[in-house]
Amino acid sequence: MSQTSVKTTGKKRIGILTSGGDCAGLNAIIRAVVYAATRLGWEVVGIEDGTAGLLVRPMRYKVLTRQMFDTTIMRLGGTILGTTNKGNPFKFPMPDGTFKDRSSEITDGIKELGIEALIGIGGDGSMAILRTLAKRGNFKLICIPKTIDNDVGKTENSVGFITAAYVATEALDRLQPTAASHDRVMVLEVMGRDAGAIAMSAGIAGGADVILIPEIPYDIDKVAEKIISVRDDEKRNFALVVVSEAVKTVDGKALQVEFIGGEKRYGGIGSYIGEQIAAKTGFETRVTVLGHVQRGCAPIPEDRLLAAAFGVHAVELVAAGKHDRMVAWSNREVIDVPIEEAIASQQEVDLNGALVRTARSLGICLGD
Ligand code: F6P
């Protein structure tokens, strides 16, 4: 469906793209934007693979029509537009190993396509890049927050987080019976980059005994004490431990795997914690790394609702001539905030908030 030449119809044209890591609910957002915008008589151009679709000529994009969105697409994980979490256009890696500022190719592309406003769906990193592009290219930008990490500031939730927390909870539901059958400690490593939101929510919902998050430095002896108390005091033959991928080792090292080409990614903390627990408690321990399973699935209803409300509000903002705003969820309402403020205030697990208080009152060990 990619277009090879720019065809305009005289209608008001807006653009939409998905950027950064995928998550559940992206297609539901795209559908909401297309439905709301086409009802106003506008045309929606979907740019492929984030800004990468504008870095090639002919550009890669497709005109999105209401007819494309039968009800199957909103249920699908991933993004029909494709996405990328690589290739910062201001410092784009070239084949000869050098870096080049290719941002003008993107801003020229937006002009060439006749896009009056761009709706960018992304996390904080993508939003920062899009905002700089919008300033340099003088185009209107509205952002919609999505990330399984739920670390975007100024919004209670980003699209994709609740589904990821649901998947991690379901993993604990599946680990519990096998743990109980084999008298084991099950360690579940979950994603979250530098935020412990998935671990915290899934850990409480899934009945974990220990939850380790990057926001709370842990003491491995406290973790071992908790496991021993589960066995000796509660007389239970198994325990569940949730570890967020960015938790550090006892000596403060983040565990990362280095790939060919030098790229580093989090990985290994689950096994490390599992070994430490086995050594200190004598319990047999097994480790599950949940990884991208948390991203690639159908959005649960809460994420579909958030996606619908965010998509519609983004179109309302464009209609009102607003720009440089991010849609957000606050107090059961969809609101909008300056993109700059959202990027500047990364959301972490609130150490005095309801989730941490709840976990502590349930006797869950947070490692401190
Ligand atoms: O930011 C979303 C996220 O899923 C993080 O939780 C995780 O650390 C990272 O992306 C994984 O990225 P990639 O898809 O490049 O492996």
Side-chain angles (χ1 to χ4, degrees):
M1 287 297 292
S2 296
Q3 306 287 304
T4 47
S5 63
V6 179
K7 292 188 197 120
T8 50
T9 54
K11 289 181 179 173
K12 178 183 174 100
R13 208 175 219 209
I14 64 167
I16 185 166
L17 58 80
T18 46
S19 179
D22 75 308
C23 63
L26 296 177
N27 290 323
I29 303 177
I30 299 167
R31 170 200 186 239
V33 167
V34 170
Y35 272 41
T38 52
R39 274 171 63 88
L40 297 173
W42 304 351
E43 191 173 62
V44 183
V45 170
I47 297 158
E48 295 181 357
D49 295 334
T51 50
L54 302 177
L55 283 175
V56 287
R57 298 294 182 271
M59 290 179 280
R60 289 190 291 112
Y61 68 95
K62 44 194 163 197
V63 174
L64 303 175
T65 63
R66 210 183 155 95
Q67 290 68 34
M68 287 172 167
F69 292 87
D70 61 11
T71 67
T72 44
I73 285 183
M74 62 173 274
R75 301 173 211 284
L76 293 179
T79 160
I80 54 160
L81 292 177
T83 187
T84 178
N85 58 3
K86 297 198 172 50
N88 177 348
F90 302 106
K91 212 179 161 206
F92 197 88
M94 302 302 285
D96 63 359
T98 59
F99 293 94
K100 187 178 169 194
D101 182 349
R102 298 186 61 190
S103 56
S104 62
E105 294 168 53
I106 294 170
T107 51
D108 288 349
I110 286 188
K111 274 199 197 94
E112 211 180 305
L113 287 173
I115 287 172
E116 291 181 36
L118 179 71
I119 296 181
I121 306 167
D124 52 359
S126 300
M127 286 195 267
I129 289 174
L130 290 172
R131 187 165 187 266
T132 309
L133 287 169
K135 290 208 166 311
R136 290 202 190 165
N138 201 23
F139 62 86
K140 290 183 174 164
L141 175 69
I142 298 292
C143 283
I144 299 181
K146 66 84 219 167
T147 164
I148 66 164
D149 303 345
N150 210 22
D151 58 353
V152 173
K154 302 286 168 196
T155 181
E156 284 161 19
N157 278 325
S158 292
V159 172
F161 161 65
I162 309 178
T163 302
Y166 172 83
V167 172
T169 305
E170 201 197 24
L172 289 170
D173 291 348
R174 289 169 189 238
L175 289 171
Q176 187 274 330
T178 168
S181 305
H182 286 268
D183 301 356
R184 284 175 172 162
V185 175
M186 289 294 188
V187 177
L188 177 69
E189 179 183 314
V190 297
M191 279 185 165
R193 196 100 63 181
D194 299 312
I198 298 177
M200 205 63 206
S201 298
I204 294 173
D209 300 291
V210 178
I211 303 173
L212 300 182
I213 57 173
E215 291 89 340
I216 303 181
Y218 69 96
D219 175 346
I220 193 67
D221 290 323
K222 295 264 168 61
V223 174
E225 255 171 49
K226 171 69 187 177
I227 305 280
I228 289 167
S229 140
V230 164
R231 180 179 59 199
D232 295 350
D233 304 329
E234 291 182 36
K235 312 285 180 217
R236 182 145 48 85
N237 69 331
F238 72 92
L240 299 176
V241 175
V242 182
V243 186
S244 190
E245 62 181 349
V247 164
K248 298 186 173 54
T249 59
V250 170
D251 45 5
K253 264 198 336 216
L255 284 187
Q256 289 186 317
V257 181
E258 188 166 343
F259 293 85
I260 297 167
E263 193 196 341
K264 288 185 181 160
R265 280 179 238 148
Y266 284 126
I269 191 66
S271 299
Y272 172 84
I273 295 286
E275 273 179 42
Q276 296 271 326
I277 290 174
K280 285 182 183 285
T281 67
F283 248 118
E284 193 177 23
T285 305
R286 292 288 185 271
V287 178
T288 300
V289 180
L290 207 49
H292 294 79
V293 167
Q294 294 155 97
R295 294 208 322 218
C297 58
I300 63 167
E302 286 92 332
D303 266 328
R304 296 184 199 186
L305 291 173
L306 201 59
F310 278 178
V312 165
H313 192 54
V315 171
E316 286 168 352
L317 290 173
V318 175
K322 300 209 175 149
H323 62 99
D324 207 14
R325 312 283 298 172
M326 181 192 84
V327 301
W329 193 253
S330 170
N331 224 357
R332 298 179 171 205
E333 251 309 335
V334 61
I335 60 164
D336 51 273
V337 297
I339 296 173
E340 191 180 16
E341 284 181 18
I343 298 168
S345 53
Q346 237 207 0
Q347 180 165 230
E348 294 184 340
V349 171
D350 178 359
L351 300 189
N352 301 308
L355 288 186
V356 169
R357 288 201 318 274
T358 302
R360 291 198 193 285
S361 294
L362 291 171
I364 297 172
C365 169
L366 300 181
D368 57 347

